[in-house]
Amino acid sequence: MGDLDGDGLPDLVGVNGNGHLCWWRRYRDDAGQLRLESARTPLDDDEQPFTINGDWRHTGRAKIAVCDWDHDGKPDIICSPVINVNDQYFFQNQGTRDGKLILQREDHRIKLRNVKFPHFNHYYMCEPVDFDGDGVWEVVAGFDRGYIYYWRN
């Protein structure tokens, strides 16, 4: 969940059955009830959707977090990668163009270092946090082997 369009309502962010990154914008109807719009696919600069995990059994395992990682005032998306990779996908929010959310993908922006074990067998997620309140993100990650890791930015 995260407010991708800046309207003050948390939107739903996920991966659809085709493996594409999607967001479902939340809004209030005329009666004031919270609703979800149909799925939208954020696009790259060439207006192409992002494929996160396309293989049949991996599509639903993506873990997603929304935060303003680069502190530019726009919420970004961080997403777990495919199995056996120690990076997180980073999608920098470029804003909207003709009502479409434009993101720039940087695969190695968030690199998990100092992990003493080999690559992991299942998906994991880094959760952005600011424990000390200094305005700089730290990362906490839990893995399938039961370990919890912490990285300072």
Side-chain angles (χ1 to χ4, degrees):
M1 301 293 289
D3 183 9
L4 291 177
D5 59 2
D7 66 358
L9 297 173
D11 304 311
L12 178 64
V13 183
V15 179
N16 69 11
N18 295 322
H20 293 142
L21 181 65
C22 288
W23 69 297
W24 291 261
R25 185 180 164 274
R26 296 210 29 190
Y27 69 97
R28 291 193 183 275
D29 65 15
D30 293 337
Q33 298 294 313
L34 281 175
R35 304 283 185 211
L36 283 177
E37 287 185 353
S38 298
R40 297 181 183 194
T41 52
L43 304 172
D44 63 17
D45 284 329
D46 296 325
E47 297 200 5
Q48 296 300 309
F50 295 98
T51 300
I52 302 298
N53 301 316
D55 292 340
W56 57 278
R57 75 179 185 94
H58 304 295
T59 299
R61 293 186 177 188
K63 311 293 191 291
I64 297 171
V66 177
C67 73
D68 184 7
W69 183 263
D70 56 7
H71 301 285
D72 67 353
K74 295 183 295 242
D76 305 304
I77 296 174
I78 300 170
C79 183
S80 63
V82 295
I83 291 177
N84 294 331
V85 177
N86 275 355
D87 291 351
Q88 299 288 298
Y89 295 149
F90 172 73
F91 297 92
Q92 183 183 44
N93 189 335
Q94 304 292 301
T96 57
R97 183 185 318 144
D98 299 323
K100 300 171 186 169
L101 179 64
I102 306 297
L103 302 173
Q104 180 180 357
R105 180 171 157 171
E106 297 180 43
D107 288 347
H108 303 291
R109 177 82 179 249
I110 302 170
K111 178 78 173 167
L112 306 184
R113 294 181 178 90
N114 302 321
V115 176
K116 297 180 182 182
F117 296 99
H119 290 243
F120 303 93
N121 295 326
H122 291 92
Y123 289 80
Y124 52 90
M125 181 60 202
C126 290
E127 187 66 32
V129 295
D130 183 8
F131 281 123
D132 55 13
D134 66 355
V136 178
W137 294 106
E138 292 93 34
V139 175
V140 173
F143 296 94
D144 60 338
R145 294 192 175 136
Y147 294 94
I148 297 175
Y149 293 90
Y150 169 77
W151 289 268
R152 294 180 59 123
N153 193 345

